[in-house]
Amino acid sequence: EIQLVESGGGLVKPGGSLRLSCTASGFTFSSYRMNWVRQAPGKGLEWVSSISTGSDYIYYADSVKGRFTISRDNTQNSLSLQMDSLRVEDTALYYCVRESTHTNYFDPWGQGILVTVYS
Amino acid sequence: QSVVTQPPSVSGAPGQRVTISCTGSSSNIGADYDVHWYQQLPGTAPKLLIYGNINRPSGVPDRFSASKSGASASLTITGLQAEDEADYYCQSFDSTLSGVIFGGGTKLTVL
């Protein structure tokens, strides 16, 4: 069974840092581009960042550029998101998602991990 | 706000048909980037519903269909069922933003 399990969320004050992790199983992790997508409470989906199979192509949404860093460890089947200089507006459920090799759809999604930035 | 527009809400009675639109521009859907659709049931993670504009993953009922034309796409649900009540999102890519984009989402209410 293909699974993506996020961890590392929690409460943090504005300006603080948090590191999210995602552990993948059930598929060849190193063969897929991976992404983070977030959803603020009661709001829609927002793509955050993507990383290619070999970590050579990395992209960020403008809203997190310069503050978040995506990385992966193909030997450990893991994806990470280092979040620095957190803002109240970063409060959201963060999903780890696998990107199709063909036409950039997202499947599957992890269960999500909550990050709350409060002042 | 999203660069791709969806109606905030749609509704229909059981058995009826509803259509959810997804309107983009020349830098995304109109630039021939594929559109994908997701269903998010209350309290759960989004689930892939349609990929590559018109394709259903295995396990998705054929009551769900989609199309794309120009800078717009649409999702149609026929034979509405109570279990279809959920939020629906379209997704594409935008060349100006150089990133994945989602529509704002549409809440489907089954009356």
Side-chain angles (χ1 to χ4, degrees), chain A residues 59-95:
Chain A
Y59 303 95
Y60 299 98
D62 287 345
S63 57
V64 306
K65 202 172 293 183
R67 300 187 299 120
F68 289 12
T69 304
I70 192 172
S71 62
R72 66 189 295 162
D73 183 343
N74 289 338
T75 66
Q76 299 291 321
N77 292 343
S78 70
L79 175 73
S80 296
L81 186 68
Q82 176 66 39
M83 304 185 295
D84 298 319
S85 303
L86 281 162
R87 304 169 180 168
V88 170
E89 55 264 35
D90 294 319
T91 294
L93 198 57
Y94 284 74
Y95 294 102

PDB file of all heavy atoms in Angstrom, chain A residues 59-95:
ATOM      1  N   TYR A  59      11.301  24.242  -6.520  1.00  0.00           N
ATOM      2  CA  TYR A  59      10.462  25.415  -6.757  1.00  0.00           C
ATOM      3  C   TYR A  59       9.650  25.736  -5.502  1.00  0.00           C
ATOM      4  O   TYR A  59       9.307  24.838  -4.731  1.00  0.00           O
ATOM      5  CB  TYR A  59       9.512  25.177  -7.942  1.00  0.00           C
ATOM      6  CG  TYR A  59      10.227  24.823  -9.217  1.00  0.00           C
ATOM      7  CD1 TYR A  59      10.415  23.501  -9.591  1.00  0.00           C
ATOM      8  CD2 TYR A  59      10.724  25.825 -10.049  1.00  0.00           C
ATOM      9  CE1 TYR A  59      11.083  23.174 -10.761  1.00  0.00           C
ATOM     10  CE2 TYR A  59      11.397  25.507 -11.231  1.00  0.00           C
ATOM     11  CZ  TYR A  59      11.578  24.173 -11.575  1.00  0.00           C
ATOM     12  OH  TYR A  59      12.245  23.863 -12.736  1.00  0.00           O
ATOM     13  N   TYR A  60       9.349  27.015  -5.345  1.00  0.00           N
ATOM     14  CA  TYR A  60       8.567  27.469  -4.202  1.00  0.00           C
ATOM     15  C   TYR A  60       7.476  28.428  -4.661  1.00  0.00           C
ATOM     16  O   TYR A  60       7.646  29.176  -5.630  1.00  0.00           O
ATOM     17  CB  TYR A  60       9.457  28.195  -3.194  1.00  0.00           C
ATOM     18  CG  TYR A  60      10.560  27.359  -2.600  1.00  0.00           C
ATOM     19  CD1 TYR A  60      11.857  27.425  -3.101  1.00  0.00           C
ATOM     20  CD2 TYR A  60      10.308  26.499  -1.531  1.00  0.00           C
ATOM     21  CE1 TYR A  60      12.876  26.651  -2.565  1.00  0.00           C
ATOM     22  CE2 TYR A  60      11.319  25.723  -0.981  1.00  0.00           C
ATOM     23  CZ  TYR A  60      12.602  25.806  -1.509  1.00  0.00           C
ATOM     24  OH  TYR A  60      13.607  25.040  -0.966  1.00  0.00           O
ATOM     25  N   ALA A  61       6.381  28.438  -3.923  1.00  0.00           N
ATOM     26  CA  ALA A  61       5.387  29.483  -4.103  1.00  0.00           C
ATOM     27  C   ALA A  61       5.992  30.801  -3.614  1.00  0.00           C
ATOM     28  O   ALA A  61       6.829  30.811  -2.704  1.00  0.00           O
ATOM     29  CB  ALA A  61       4.125  29.160  -3.300  1.00  0.00           C
ATOM     30  N   ASP A  62       5.582  31.901  -4.222  1.00  0.00           N
ATOM     31  CA  ASP A  62       6.119  33.208  -3.823  1.00  0.00           C
ATOM     32  C   ASP A  62       5.890  33.483  -2.344  1.00  0.00           C
ATOM     33  O   ASP A  62       6.704  34.152  -1.703  1.00  0.00           O
ATOM     34  CB  ASP A  62       5.474  34.319  -4.661  1.00  0.00           C
ATOM     35  CG  ASP A  62       5.985  34.340  -6.092  1.00  0.00           C
ATOM     36  OD1 ASP A  62       7.028  33.710  -6.374  1.00  0.00           O
ATOM     37  OD2 ASP A  62       5.333  34.982  -6.942  1.00  0.00           O
ATOM     38  N   SER A  63       4.807  32.960  -1.801  1.00  0.00           N
ATOM     39  CA  SER A  63       4.438  33.241  -0.415  1.00  0.00           C
ATOM     40  C   SER A  63       5.415  32.638   0.598  1.00  0.00           C
ATOM     41  O   SER A  63       5.433  33.063   1.752  1.00  0.00           O
ATOM     42  CB  SER A  63       3.024  32.717  -0.135  1.00  0.00           C
ATOM     43  OG  SER A  63       2.946  31.329  -0.408  1.00  0.00           O
ATOM     44  N   VAL A  64       6.222  31.678   0.171  1.00  0.00           N
ATOM     45  CA  VAL A  64       7.151  31.040   1.110  1.00  0.00           C
ATOM     46  C   VAL A  64       8.611  31.141   0.659  1.00  0.00           C
ATOM     47  O   VAL A  64       9.512  30.730   1.396  1.00  0.00           O
ATOM     48  CB  VAL A  64       6.787  29.551   1.333  1.00  0.00           C
ATOM     49  CG1 VAL A  64       5.329  29.416   1.763  1.00  0.00           C
ATOM     50  CG2 VAL A  64       7.079  28.711   0.087  1.00  0.00           C
ATOM     51  N   LYS A  65       8.830  31.693  -0.518  1.00  0.00           N
ATOM     52  CA  LYS A  65      10.186  31.754  -1.070  1.00  0.00           C
ATOM     53  C   LYS A  65      11.103  32.530  -0.131  1.00  0.00           C
ATOM     54  O   LYS A  65      10.745  33.610   0.361  1.00  0.00           O
ATOM     55  CB  LYS A  65      10.137  32.415  -2.451  1.00  0.00           C
ATOM     56  CG  LYS A  65      11.296  32.105  -3.355  1.00  0.00           C
ATOM     57  CD  LYS A  65      11.048  32.646  -4.761  1.00  0.00           C
ATOM     58  CE  LYS A  65       9.930  31.929  -5.464  1.00  0.00           C
ATOM     59  NZ  LYS A  65       9.726  32.390  -6.856  1.00  0.00           N
ATOM     60  N   GLY A  66      12.273  31.981   0.126  1.00  0.00           N
ATOM     61  CA  GLY A  66      13.237  32.626   1.005  1.00  0.00           C
ATOM     62  C   GLY A  66      13.055  32.276   2.475  1.00  0.00           C
ATOM     63  O   GLY A  66      13.904  32.606   3.301  1.00  0.00           O
ATOM     64  N   ARG A  67      11.949  31.622   2.808  1.00  0.00           N
ATOM     65  CA  ARG A  67      11.686  31.264   4.205  1.00  0.00           C
ATOM     66  C   ARG A  67      11.606  29.744   4.394  1.00  0.00           C
ATOM     67  O   ARG A  67      11.956  29.227   5.456  1.00  0.00           O
ATOM     68  CB  ARG A  67      10.364  31.887   4.674  1.00  0.00           C
ATOM     69  CG  ARG A  67      10.332  33.395   4.600  1.00  0.00           C
ATOM     70  CD  ARG A  67       9.061  33.967   5.233  1.00  0.00           C
ATOM     71  NE  ARG A  67       7.843  33.517   4.563  1.00  0.00           N
ATOM     72  CZ  ARG A  67       6.872  32.821   5.166  1.00  0.00           C
ATOM     73  NH1 ARG A  67       6.967  32.506   6.437  1.00  0.00           N
ATOM     74  NH2 ARG A  67       5.790  32.459   4.489  1.00  0.00           N
ATOM     75  N   PHE A  68      11.123  29.045   3.387  1.00  0.00           N
ATOM     76  CA  PHE A  68      10.969  27.586   3.466  1.00  0.00           C
ATOM     77  C   PHE A  68      12.030  26.920   2.594  1.00  0.00           C
ATOM     78  O   PHE A  68      12.413  27.453   1.547  1.00  0.00           O
ATOM     79  CB  PHE A  68       9.589  27.159   2.972  1.00  0.00           C
ATOM     80  CG  PHE A  68       8.446  27.518   3.886  1.00  0.00           C
ATOM     81  CD1 PHE A  68       8.607  28.395   4.958  1.00  0.00           C
ATOM     82  CD2 PHE A  68       7.188  26.974   3.672  1.00  0.00           C
ATOM     83  CE1 PHE A  68       7.550  28.730   5.785  1.00  0.00           C
ATOM     84  CE2 PHE A  68       6.120  27.289   4.491  1.00  0.00           C
ATOM     85  CZ  PHE A  68       6.294  28.169   5.545  1.00  0.00           C
ATOM     86  N   THR A  69      12.471  25.729   3.030  1.00  0.00           N
ATOM     87  CA  THR A  69      13.433  24.954   2.269  1.00  0.00           C
ATOM     88  C   THR A  69      12.972  23.509   2.188  1.00  0.00           C
ATOM     89  O   THR A  69      12.773  22.862   3.218  1.00  0.00           O
ATOM     90  CB  THR A  69      14.832  24.998   2.905  1.00  0.00           C
ATOM     91  OG1 THR A  69      15.254  26.360   3.042  1.00  0.00           O
ATOM     92  CG2 THR A  69      15.835  24.240   2.051  1.00  0.00           C
ATOM     93  N   ILE A  70      12.801  23.021   0.978  1.00  0.00           N
ATOM     94  CA  ILE A  70      12.394  21.634   0.771  1.00  0.00           C
ATOM     95  C   ILE A  70      13.638  20.788   0.519  1.00  0.00           C
ATOM     96  O   ILE A  70      14.611  21.265  -0.084  1.00  0.00           O
ATOM     97  CB  ILE A  70      11.401  21.520  -0.414  1.00  0.00           C
ATOM     98  CG1 ILE A  70      10.745  20.142  -0.474  1.00  0.00           C
ATOM     99  CG2 ILE A  70      12.080  21.866  -1.739  1.00  0.00           C
ATOM    100  CD1 ILE A  70       9.612  20.040  -1.502  1.00  0.00           C
ATOM    101  N   SER A  71      13.609  19.558   1.000  1.00  0.00           N
ATOM    102  CA  SER A  71      14.717  18.638   0.752  1.00  0.00           C
ATOM    103  C   SER A  71      14.192  17.213   0.795  1.00  0.00           C
ATOM    104  O   SER A  71      13.086  16.969   1.245  1.00  0.00           O
ATOM    105  CB  SER A  71      15.838  18.838   1.777  1.00  0.00           C
ATOM    106  OG  SER A  71      15.365  18.562   3.087  1.00  0.00           O
ATOM    107  N   ARG A  72      15.016  16.299   0.325  1.00  0.00           N
ATOM    108  CA  ARG A  72      14.629  14.896   0.343  1.00  0.00           C
ATOM    109  C   ARG A  72      15.851  14.025   0.563  1.00  0.00           C
ATOM    110  O   ARG A  72      16.983  14.421   0.249  1.00  0.00           O
ATOM    111  CB  ARG A  72      13.925  14.512  -0.961  1.00  0.00           C
ATOM    112  CG  ARG A  72      14.789  14.569  -2.198  1.00  0.00           C
ATOM    113  CD  ARG A  72      13.965  14.379  -3.475  1.00  0.00           C
ATOM    114  NE  ARG A  72      13.362  13.042  -3.552  1.00  0.00           N
ATOM    115  CZ  ARG A  72      12.342  12.752  -4.369  1.00  0.00           C
ATOM    116  NH1 ARG A  72      11.815  13.682  -5.152  1.00  0.00           N
ATOM    117  NH2 ARG A  72      11.865  11.515  -4.408  1.00  0.00           N
ATOM    118  N   ASP A  73      15.601  12.831   1.091  1.00  0.00           N
ATOM    119  CA  ASP A  73      16.652  11.839   1.282  1.00  0.00           C
ATOM    120  C   ASP A  73      16.135  10.538   0.673  1.00  0.00           C
ATOM    121  O   ASP A  73      15.311   9.851   1.281  1.00  0.00           O
ATOM    122  CB  ASP A  73      16.961  11.668   2.769  1.00  0.00           C
ATOM    123  CG  ASP A  73      18.100  10.693   3.020  1.00  0.00           C
ATOM    124  OD1 ASP A  73      18.443   9.913   2.112  1.00  0.00           O
ATOM    125  OD2 ASP A  73      18.641  10.695   4.127  1.00  0.00           O
ATOM    126  N   ASN A  74      16.607  10.239  -0.517  1.00  0.00           N
ATOM    127  CA  ASN A  74      16.109   9.063  -1.211  1.00  0.00           C
ATOM    128  C   ASN A  74      16.559   7.755  -0.546  1.00  0.00           C
ATOM    129  O   ASN A  74      15.940   6.712  -0.757  1.00  0.00           O
ATOM    130  CB  ASN A  74      16.544   9.082  -2.680  1.00  0.00           C
ATOM    131  CG  ASN A  74      15.805  10.144  -3.484  1.00  0.00           C
ATOM    132  OD1 ASN A  74      14.721  10.594  -3.103  1.00  0.00           O
ATOM    133  ND2 ASN A  74      16.404  10.570  -4.593  1.00  0.00           N
ATOM    134  N   THR A  75      17.599   7.817   0.246  1.00  0.00           N
ATOM    135  CA  THR A  75      18.044   6.602   0.948  1.00  0.00           C
ATOM    136  C   THR A  75      17.127   6.282   2.118  1.00  0.00           C
ATOM    137  O   THR A  75      17.050   5.136   2.556  1.00  0.00           O
ATOM    138  CB  THR A  75      19.483   6.746   1.466  1.00  0.00           C
ATOM    139  OG1 THR A  75      19.521   7.753   2.473  1.00  0.00           O
ATOM    140  CG2 THR A  75      20.432   7.117   0.342  1.00  0.00           C
ATOM    141  N   GLN A  76      16.451   7.302   2.617  1.00  0.00           N
ATOM    142  CA  GLN A  76      15.549   7.143   3.758  1.00  0.00           C
ATOM    143  C   GLN A  76      14.075   7.258   3.357  1.00  0.00           C
ATOM    144  O   GLN A  76      13.198   7.190   4.221  1.00  0.00           O
ATOM    145  CB  GLN A  76      15.845   8.204   4.831  1.00  0.00           C
ATOM    146  CG  GLN A  76      17.248   8.138   5.399  1.00  0.00           C
ATOM    147  CD  GLN A  76      17.450   6.885   6.252  1.00  0.00           C
ATOM    148  OE1 GLN A  76      16.565   6.466   6.998  1.00  0.00           O
ATOM    149  NE2 GLN A  76      18.614   6.262   6.131  1.00  0.00           N
ATOM    150  N   ASN A  77      13.815   7.421   2.061  1.00  0.00           N
ATOM    151  CA  ASN A  77      12.432   7.603   1.577  1.00  0.00           C
ATOM    152  C   ASN A  77      11.725   8.721   2.327  1.00  0.00           C
ATOM    153  O   ASN A  77      10.567   8.577   2.758  1.00  0.00           O
ATOM    154  CB  ASN A  77      11.621   6.304   1.724  1.00  0.00           C
ATOM    155  CG  ASN A  77      12.097   5.220   0.790  1.00  0.00           C
ATOM    156  OD1 ASN A  77      12.820   5.475  -0.184  1.00  0.00           O
ATOM    157  ND2 ASN A  77      11.706   3.978   1.071  1.00  0.00           N
ATOM    158  N   SER A  78      12.409   9.832   2.484  1.00  0.00           N
ATOM    159  CA  SER A  78      11.832  10.910   3.267  1.00  0.00           C
ATOM    160  C   SER A  78      11.910  12.252   2.559  1.00  0.00           C
ATOM    161  O   SER A  78      12.843  12.533   1.802  1.00  0.00           O
ATOM    162  CB  SER A  78      12.509  10.996   4.633  1.00  0.00           C
ATOM    163  OG  SER A  78      13.832  11.465   4.490  1.00  0.00           O
ATOM    164  N   LEU A  79      10.928  13.066   2.848  1.00  0.00           N
ATOM    165  CA  LEU A  79      10.809  14.436   2.328  1.00  0.00           C
ATOM    166  C   LEU A  79      10.720  15.364   3.528  1.00  0.00           C
ATOM    167  O   LEU A  79      10.110  15.017   4.539  1.00  0.00           O
ATOM    168  CB  LEU A  79       9.538  14.541   1.483  1.00  0.00           C
ATOM    169  CG  LEU A  79       9.153  15.910   0.936  1.00  0.00           C
ATOM    170  CD1 LEU A  79      10.091  16.308  -0.199  1.00  0.00           C
ATOM    171  CD2 LEU A  79       7.702  15.908   0.454  1.00  0.00           C
ATOM    172  N   SER A  80      11.336  16.529   3.416  1.00  0.00           N
ATOM    173  CA  SER A  80      11.310  17.473   4.530  1.00  0.00           C
ATOM    174  C   SER A  80      10.941  18.870   4.051  1.00  0.00           C
ATOM    175  O   SER A  80      11.113  19.200   2.872  1.00  0.00           O
ATOM    176  CB  SER A  80      12.672  17.527   5.227  1.00  0.00           C
ATOM    177  OG  SER A  80      12.993  16.295   5.817  1.00  0.00           O
ATOM    178  N   LEU A  81      10.444  19.655   4.985  1.00  0.00           N
ATOM    179  CA  LEU A  81      10.183  21.067   4.720  1.00  0.00           C
ATOM    180  C   LEU A  81      10.639  21.844   5.947  1.00  0.00           C
ATOM    181  O   LEU A  81      10.029  21.739   7.013  1.00  0.00           O
ATOM    182  CB  LEU A  81       8.698  21.327   4.443  1.00  0.00           C
ATOM    183  CG  LEU A  81       8.372  22.754   4.026  1.00  0.00           C
ATOM    184  CD1 LEU A  81       8.954  23.059   2.641  1.00  0.00           C
ATOM    185  CD2 LEU A  81       6.860  23.005   4.022  1.00  0.00           C
ATOM    186  N   GLN A  82      11.739  22.577   5.797  1.00  0.00           N
ATOM    187  CA  GLN A  82      12.231  23.446   6.863  1.00  0.00           C
ATOM    188  C   GLN A  82      11.532  24.790   6.716  1.00  0.00           C
ATOM    189  O   GLN A  82      11.665  25.435   5.671  1.00  0.00           O
ATOM    190  CB  GLN A  82      13.750  23.604   6.762  1.00  0.00           C
ATOM    191  CG  GLN A  82      14.343  24.562   7.778  1.00  0.00           C
ATOM    192  CD  GLN A  82      14.201  24.070   9.205  1.00  0.00           C
ATOM    193  OE1 GLN A  82      14.338  22.888   9.477  1.00  0.00           O
ATOM    194  NE2 GLN A  82      13.921  24.992  10.119  1.00  0.00           N
ATOM    195  N   MET A  83      10.813  25.175   7.757  1.00  0.00           N
ATOM    196  CA  MET A  83      10.043  26.411   7.715  1.00  0.00           C
ATOM    197  C   MET A  83      10.624  27.405   8.717  1.00  0.00           C
ATOM    198  O   MET A  83      10.586  27.152   9.926  1.00  0.00           O
ATOM    199  CB  MET A  83       8.571  26.120   8.031  1.00  0.00           C
ATOM    200  CG  MET A  83       7.964  25.083   7.107  1.00  0.00           C
ATOM    201  SD  MET A  83       6.201  24.848   7.397  1.00  0.00           S
ATOM    202  CE  MET A  83       6.233  24.178   9.042  1.00  0.00           C
ATOM    203  N   ASP A  84      11.186  28.477   8.224  1.00  0.00           N
ATOM    204  CA  ASP A  84      11.772  29.524   9.064  1.00  0.00           C
ATOM    205  C   ASP A  84      10.975  30.809   8.938  1.00  0.00           C
ATOM    206  O   ASP A  84      10.168  30.970   8.017  1.00  0.00           O
ATOM    207  CB  ASP A  84      13.231  29.764   8.644  1.00  0.00           C
ATOM    208  CG  ASP A  84      14.096  28.532   8.826  1.00  0.00           C
ATOM    209  OD1 ASP A  84      13.935  27.840   9.856  1.00  0.00           O
ATOM    210  OD2 ASP A  84      14.933  28.270   7.948  1.00  0.00           O
ATOM    211  N   SER A  85      11.227  31.729   9.855  1.00  0.00           N
ATOM    212  CA  SER A  85      10.545  33.032   9.842  1.00  0.00           C
ATOM    213  C   SER A  85       9.041  32.857   9.649  1.00  0.00           C
ATOM    214  O   SER A  85       8.420  33.517   8.806  1.00  0.00           O
ATOM    215  CB  SER A  85      11.116  33.916   8.724  1.00  0.00           C
ATOM    216  OG  SER A  85      12.499  34.084   8.871  1.00  0.00           O
ATOM    217  N   LEU A  86       8.461  31.972  10.440  1.00  0.00           N
ATOM    218  CA  LEU A  86       7.045  31.652  10.274  1.00  0.00           C
ATOM    219  C   LEU A  86       6.167  32.844  10.605  1.00  0.00           C
ATOM    220  O   LEU A  86       6.467  33.663  11.480  1.00  0.00           O
ATOM    221  CB  LEU A  86       6.685  30.448  11.131  1.00  0.00           C
ATOM    222  CG  LEU A  86       7.106  29.101  10.529  1.00  0.00           C
ATOM    223  CD1 LEU A  86       7.141  28.012  11.578  1.00  0.00           C
ATOM    224  CD2 LEU A  86       6.184  28.724   9.372  1.00  0.00           C
ATOM    225  N   ARG A  87       5.061  32.915   9.880  1.00  0.00           N
ATOM    226  CA  ARG A  87       4.086  33.999  10.034  1.00  0.00           C
ATOM    227  C   ARG A  87       2.735  33.406  10.415  1.00  0.00           C
ATOM    228  O   ARG A  87       2.472  32.223  10.161  1.00  0.00           O
ATOM    229  CB  ARG A  87       3.945  34.763   8.721  1.00  0.00           C
ATOM    230  CG  ARG A  87       5.248  35.317   8.171  1.00  0.00           C
ATOM    231  CD  ARG A  87       5.064  35.804   6.759  1.00  0.00           C
ATOM    232  NE  ARG A  87       6.310  36.349   6.202  1.00  0.00           N
ATOM    233  CZ  ARG A  87       6.502  36.632   4.914  1.00  0.00           C
ATOM    234  NH1 ARG A  87       5.508  36.423   4.039  1.00  0.00           N
ATOM    235  NH2 ARG A  87       7.662  37.119   4.502  1.00  0.00           N
ATOM    236  N   VAL A  88       1.877  34.225  10.963  1.00  0.00           N
ATOM    237  CA  VAL A  88       0.540  33.768  11.340  1.00  0.00           C
ATOM    238  C   VAL A  88      -0.163  33.156  10.124  1.00  0.00           C
ATOM    239  O   VAL A  88      -0.865  32.153  10.236  1.00  0.00           O
ATOM    240  CB  VAL A  88      -0.283  34.928  11.932  1.00  0.00           C
ATOM    241  CG1 VAL A  88      -1.732  34.532  12.105  1.00  0.00           C
ATOM    242  CG2 VAL A  88       0.324  35.385  13.252  1.00  0.00           C
ATOM    243  N   GLU A  89       0.050  33.753   8.973  1.00  0.00           N
ATOM    244  CA  GLU A  89      -0.618  33.287   7.751  1.00  0.00           C
ATOM    245  C   GLU A  89      -0.071  31.950   7.228  1.00  0.00           C
ATOM    246  O   GLU A  89      -0.602  31.408   6.264  1.00  0.00           O
ATOM    247  CB  GLU A  89      -0.560  34.341   6.642  1.00  0.00           C
ATOM    248  CG  GLU A  89       0.829  34.825   6.308  1.00  0.00           C
ATOM    249  CD  GLU A  89       1.194  36.108   7.037  1.00  0.00           C
ATOM    250  OE1 GLU A  89       0.764  36.285   8.207  1.00  0.00           O
ATOM    251  OE2 GLU A  89       1.917  36.937   6.423  1.00  0.00           O
ATOM    252  N   ASP A  90       0.965  31.418   7.855  1.00  0.00           N
ATOM    253  CA  ASP A  90       1.454  30.090   7.494  1.00  0.00           C
ATOM    254  C   ASP A  90       0.680  28.988   8.214  1.00  0.00           C
ATOM    255  O   ASP A  90       0.900  27.798   7.958  1.00  0.00           O
ATOM    256  CB  ASP A  90       2.943  29.946   7.822  1.00  0.00           C
ATOM    257  CG  ASP A  90       3.821  30.851   6.988  1.00  0.00           C
ATOM    258  OD1 ASP A  90       3.545  30.984   5.768  1.00  0.00           O
ATOM    259  OD2 ASP A  90       4.772  31.441   7.535  1.00  0.00           O
ATOM    260  N   THR A  91      -0.200  29.382   9.121  1.00  0.00           N
ATOM    261  CA  THR A  91      -1.031  28.405   9.825  1.00  0.00           C
ATOM    262  C   THR A  91      -1.866  27.620   8.827  1.00  0.00           C
ATOM    263  O   THR A  91      -2.623  28.194   8.043  1.00  0.00           O
ATOM    264  CB  THR A  91      -1.957  29.114  10.831  1.00  0.00           C
ATOM    265  OG1 THR A  91      -1.162  29.714  11.852  1.00  0.00           O
ATOM    266  CG2 THR A  91      -2.940  28.129  11.450  1.00  0.00           C
ATOM    267  N   ALA A  92      -1.698  26.294   8.844  1.00  0.00           N
ATOM    268  CA  ALA A  92      -2.380  25.462   7.852  1.00  0.00           C
ATOM    269  C   ALA A  92      -2.129  23.992   8.150  1.00  0.00           C
ATOM    270  O   ALA A  92      -1.252  23.638   8.946  1.00  0.00           O
ATOM    271  CB  ALA A  92      -1.884  25.784   6.440  1.00  0.00           C
ATOM    272  N   LEU A  93      -2.897  23.188   7.453  1.00  0.00           N
ATOM    273  CA  LEU A  93      -2.641  21.751   7.388  1.00  0.00           C
ATOM    274  C   LEU A  93      -1.703  21.543   6.207  1.00  0.00           C
ATOM    275  O   LEU A  93      -1.996  22.007   5.094  1.00  0.00           O
ATOM    276  CB  LEU A  93      -3.965  21.023   7.177  1.00  0.00           C
ATOM    277  CG  LEU A  93      -4.077  19.532   7.462  1.00  0.00           C
ATOM    278  CD1 LEU A  93      -3.680  19.217   8.894  1.00  0.00           C
ATOM    279  CD2 LEU A  93      -5.505  19.070   7.207  1.00  0.00           C
ATOM    280  N   TYR A  94      -0.573  20.916   6.441  1.00  0.00           N
ATOM    281  CA  TYR A  94       0.420  20.716   5.386  1.00  0.00           C
ATOM    282  C   TYR A  94       0.367  19.257   4.913  1.00  0.00           C
ATOM    283  O   TYR A  94       0.498  18.337   5.720  1.00  0.00           O
ATOM    284  CB  TYR A  94       1.819  21.061   5.894  1.00  0.00           C
ATOM    285  CG  TYR A  94       2.045  22.552   5.996  1.00  0.00           C
ATOM    286  CD1 TYR A  94       1.451  23.296   7.009  1.00  0.00           C
ATOM    287  CD2 TYR A  94       2.829  23.228   5.060  1.00  0.00           C
ATOM    288  CE1 TYR A  94       1.623  24.670   7.096  1.00  0.00           C
ATOM    289  CE2 TYR A  94       3.021  24.602   5.138  1.00  0.00           C
ATOM    290  CZ  TYR A  94       2.417  25.313   6.157  1.00  0.00           C
ATOM    291  OH  TYR A  94       2.595  26.682   6.232  1.00  0.00           O
ATOM    292  N   TYR A  95       0.190  19.101   3.607  1.00  0.00           N
ATOM    293  CA  TYR A  95       0.107  17.770   3.006  1.00  0.00           C
ATOM    294  C   TYR A  95       1.374  17.457   2.206  1.00  0.00           C
ATOM    295  O   TYR A  95       1.856  18.297   1.431  1.00  0.00           O
ATOM    296  CB  TYR A  95      -1.074  17.680   2.039  1.00  0.00           C
ATOM    297  CG  TYR A  95      -2.440  17.784   2.664  1.00  0.00           C
ATOM    298  CD1 TYR A  95      -3.170  18.963   2.600  1.00  0.00           C
ATOM    299  CD2 TYR A  95      -3.020  16.682   3.305  1.00  0.00           C
ATOM    300  CE1 TYR A  95      -4.441  19.051   3.144  1.00  0.00           C
ATOM    301  CE2 TYR A  95      -4.290  16.763   3.859  1.00  0.00           C
ATOM    302  CZ  TYR A  95      -4.985  17.954   3.781  1.00  0.00           C
ATOM    303  OH  TYR A  95      -6.244  18.028   4.329  1.00  0.00           O
TER     304      TYR A  95
END
